[in-house]
Amino acid sequence: MMLRKYRIAVIGHTGRGNYGHGIDTVWFDIPGCEIVGVADADERGLAAAVQRLKAPKGYADYRQLLDETKPDIVAIGPRWLDQHRDMVVAAAERGLHVYMEKPFCRTPQEADEIVAACEQHNVKLAIAHQTRYSPRLQRVRQLF
């Protein structure tokens, strides 16, 4: 059986939250995923990300990345919250699924806007809660 190839676009912003906890490189370990481009508004950060991710192309503007590469999934890496809403909404408006670094967003209003955009465009949104299903976390819960 042949696996579907998923096209992954990575968004980071060096100096403004960077690339989270491996949100950019996790795709190397997931079969059937191919990084098709990376965006970073910081010129030196972009050059480093292109090299680190072996990305075919880098973009200063994440919207251009989304429009030109037409990915299946957008990995939103910045840990700072100031751009999350705009990045997720831009992806959702293009019908692109999102995997993003936490924390989610700044306000309940932004959360509502993100959820509404994803629902309107039938987009899946996953937030990187890496230990949510960890057996260790279950054990901690049992202790209390």
Side-chain angles (χ1 to χ4, degrees), residues 3-8 27-34 72:
L3 287 177
R4 177 175 182 223
K5 195 83 149 167
Y6 290 95
R7 298 170 52 79
I8 312 299
W27 307 103
F28 293 139
D29 299 323
I30 301 174
C33 290
E34 165 190 26
D72 300 300

Side-chain angles (χ1 to χ4, degrees), residues 21-109:
H21 299 94
I23 294 292
D24 56 341
T25 57
V26 68
W27 307 103
F28 293 139
D29 299 323
I30 301 174
C33 290
E34 165 190 26
I35 296 173
V36 295
V38 61
D40 190 324
D42 181 89
E43 188 176 331
R44 288 197 322 226
L46 176 59
V50 166
Q51 186 174 27
R52 178 178 66 252
L53 300 175
K54 301 171 185 67
K57 190 166 181 188
Y59 299 83
D61 185 331
Y62 65 85
R63 291 167 291 266
Q64 184 180 7
L65 163 74
L66 302 178
D67 291 338
E68 289 186 15
T69 62
K70 303 197 183 327
D72 300 300
I73 300 169
V74 181
I76 298 176
R79 288 177 282 191
W80 290 9
L81 303 175
D82 62 325
Q83 299 173 85
H84 279 190
R85 182 234 172 251
D86 293 345
M87 290 173 173
V88 175
V89 169
E93 288 173 344
R94 290 162 174 82
L96 309 173
H97 302 294
V98 176
Y99 180 69
M100 70 181 255
E101 181 58 275
K102 61 197 166 315
F104 183 44
C105 58
R106 296 177 288 192
T107 67
Q109 180 179 342

